[in-house]
Amino acid sequence: MGAYILKRLLLMIPTLVGVMLLTFVVVQFVPGGPIEQIISQLDNGGDANSRINGGGSEVQGEDAGGGGGSKYRGAQGLDPEFIKQLEVQFGFDKPAPERFLKMLTDYFTFNFGKSYFTDKTVISLIKEKMPVSISLGLWLTLITYLVSIPLGIKKAVRDGSTFDIWTSAVIIVGYAIPSFIFAIILIVLFAGGSYWDLFPLRGLTSDNFEQLSWWGKLKDYAWHLVLPLTALGISGFATMTLLTKNSFLDEIKKQYVVTARAKGLNERQVLYGHVFRNAMLLVISGFPGAFLAAFFSGSLLIEFVFSLDGLGYLTWKSAVNRDYPVVFANLYIFTLLGLVVALISDLTYTWIDPRIDFESRET
């Protein structure tokens, strides 16, 4: 197993390099980069210096009659020296291969640099937004598992019953409704939209959060999470519940279950002493991946609807503003965590069922 883990860890390096290289190449052909953003603001009468990282640049966008041959859209009439200083400021004065190699060298040491348009390091921005994403991802995954697994087991035991039919109808309808549409429905119904004003609409905590007792802080935090988690979890419940049910149904039909019942074991002993371990192999081993999916994907619109400033919103806003250090850093972290989680999922398989040996299957 040690050799298998080492091989998987080593394979992460070319995978990371490939993903970053592909994105870097695509970005080179995307119009509206950071320099063009500055030029556009100048054309609209804005202050370019306020958007340049560090706040210490003295470059000015005065019309010097040059820039006619500039490669940047809208640069005609701007001082070529101004454009050159912008290129130095953003690191675009170097060839693309050199910039890519420097980025890889820095990223392997988790040095993500500074945001182009804020006087903050990228890692500080990510840490600032992390609590929102962790709150959504962690609690959504835990609640989904705590609700879906018992419900899936009960549906499998009572397969074809009235309970199985109406619960299936409810979760399928919930799965069919997009999470952001369901979020808007929840706001209209329960957050002061048109009916009841029961839950807060914005943020992860209230304005007076720091003045509350520890119990008050806990209640306030939980109260703010009710609607976002409900909107995000409605589709997750369907997937996990049906997966659990189908896994149990497959195992219940196998010969070892018939043998266990023939030995006189009651239904509870059969289900939780024999069936559960085998049926839960796919469900439990998928926990790391489910957490990562809840943590990083599917939450952008929910963050936007409920004014939750998390990693999803940060990445989207950075992509729109062409704040490439933030975009690349998030991509790098997401990819790295995805690869690590894939390895953890494989190891979880072997932990749940020691008969599975990935190392022996390597060719």
Side-chain angles (χ1 to χ4, degrees):
M1 182 56 67
Y4 173 76
I5 294 174
L6 179 61
K7 182 177 180 180
R8 288 289 298 272
L9 291 174
L10 292 175
L11 284 173
M12 291 180 185
I13 297 175
T15 304
L16 278 171
V17 172
V19 170
M20 299 304 291
L21 176 60
L22 179 61
T23 309
F24 185 84
V25 171
V26 170
V27 163
Q28 305 310 302
F29 299 97
V30 175
I35 294 180
E36 289 174 320
Q37 296 273 337
I38 299 295
I39 294 172
S40 175
Q41 190 175 51
L42 283 172
D43 290 341
N44 293 328
D47 180 11
N49 289 327
S50 65
R51 296 201 67 187
I52 298 177
N53 181 32
S57 178
E58 298 298 330
V59 295
Q60 301 293 329
E62 298 176 354
D63 189 340
S70 175
K71 60 183 177 181
Y72 301 106
R73 184 181 303 174
Q76 291 78 10
L78 293 178
D79 186 352
E81 287 301 318
F82 169 65
I83 301 298
K84 289 180 181 179
Q85 290 184 53
L86 283 179
E87 289 180 334
V88 173
Q89 181 74 27
F90 291 112
F92 293 159
D93 57 319
K94 300 179 179 63
E98 183 179 342
R99 285 188 281 123
F100 178 70
L101 290 176
K102 184 180 185 306
M103 182 184 72
L104 284 183
T105 304
D106 291 340
Y107 279 23
F108 282 140
T109 59
F110 292 92
N111 176 21
F112 301 119
K114 279 190 173 184
S115 165
Y116 281 161
F117 302 125
T118 65
D119 192 19
K120 293 182 178 180
T121 62
V122 174
I123 198 68
S124 67
L125 282 173
I126 293 175
K127 287 180 179 179
E128 184 181 319
K129 313 302 181 184
M130 191 73 76
V132 171
S133 296
I134 289 179
S135 295
L136 293 176
L138 180 62
W139 293 116
L140 174 63
T141 306
L142 290 176
I143 292 172
T144 299
Y145 270 74
L146 289 174
V147 172
S148 298
I149 290 178
L151 179 59
I153 295 174
K154 190 170 183 179
K155 285 173 64 62
V157 173
R158 301 178 61 177
D159 183 41
S161 66
T162 303
F163 171 82
D164 179 41
I165 293 172
W166 74 260
T167 52
S168 294
V170 170
I171 62 176
I172 289 174
V173 169
Y175 181 79
I177 302 176
S179 59
F180 72 95
I181 295 293
F182 193 66
I184 295 173
I185 294 173
L186 291 175
I187 289 175
V188 171
L189 291 177
F190 302 111
S194 300
Y195 296 91
W196 301 281
D197 189 5
L198 302 178
F199 296 95
L201 178 59
R202 297 177 178 275
L204 202 59
T205 57
S206 300
D207 294 336
N208 64 336
F209 183 77
E210 294 301 327
Q211 284 72 48
L212 299 176
S213 64
W214 70 269
W215 176 243
K217 289 181 179 179
L218 184 62
K219 289 194 297 182
D220 182 74
Y221 170 72
W223 209 237
H224 279 77
L225 282 175
V226 170
L227 294 187
L229 289 180
T230 303
L232 276 173
I234 193 70
S235 60
F237 288 145
T239 303
M240 190 58 61
T241 299
L242 295 178
L243 177 62
T244 303
K245 175 190 173 182
N246 293 332
S247 296
F248 262 79
L249 285 177
D250 289 342
E251 293 297 324
I252 286 173
K253 297 175 183 178
K254 292 184 177 179
Q255 184 61 41
Y256 74 89
V257 175
V258 177
T259 303
R261 286 171 175 163
K263 290 181 178 179
L265 298 179
N266 59 44
E267 197 66 17
R268 185 176 184 84
Q269 290 174 319
V270 171
L271 285 177
Y272 294 99
H274 293 77
V275 175
F276 185 85
R277 180 176 179 178
N278 295 322
M280 287 295 98
L281 181 61
L282 288 175
V283 177
I284 297 178
S285 62
F287 181 88
F291 170 69
L292 187 68
F295 188 63
F296 288 124
S297 63
S299 63
L300 170 59
L301 292 174
I302 298 300
E303 289 179 12
F304 185 80
V305 170
F306 290 102
S307 299
L308 298 172
D309 196 3
L311 287 176
Y313 184 70
L314 172 66
T315 305
W316 173 78
K317 185 168 61 175
S318 300
V320 170
N321 292 331
R322 304 298 193 268
D323 197 348
Y324 293 142
V326 180
V327 174
F328 278 116
N330 278 287
L331 176 65
Y332 180 83
I333 293 173
F334 295 172
T335 305
L336 179 61
L337 285 178
L339 293 171
V340 172
V341 164
L343 175 58
I344 293 175
S345 296
D346 287 349
L347 297 179
T348 308
Y349 275 108
T350 62
W351 174 64
I352 297 175
D353 189 348
R355 294 172 299 177
I356 298 176
D357 186 1
F358 289 103
E359 188 172 7
S360 64
R361 296 169 61 183
E362 292 291 308
T363 56

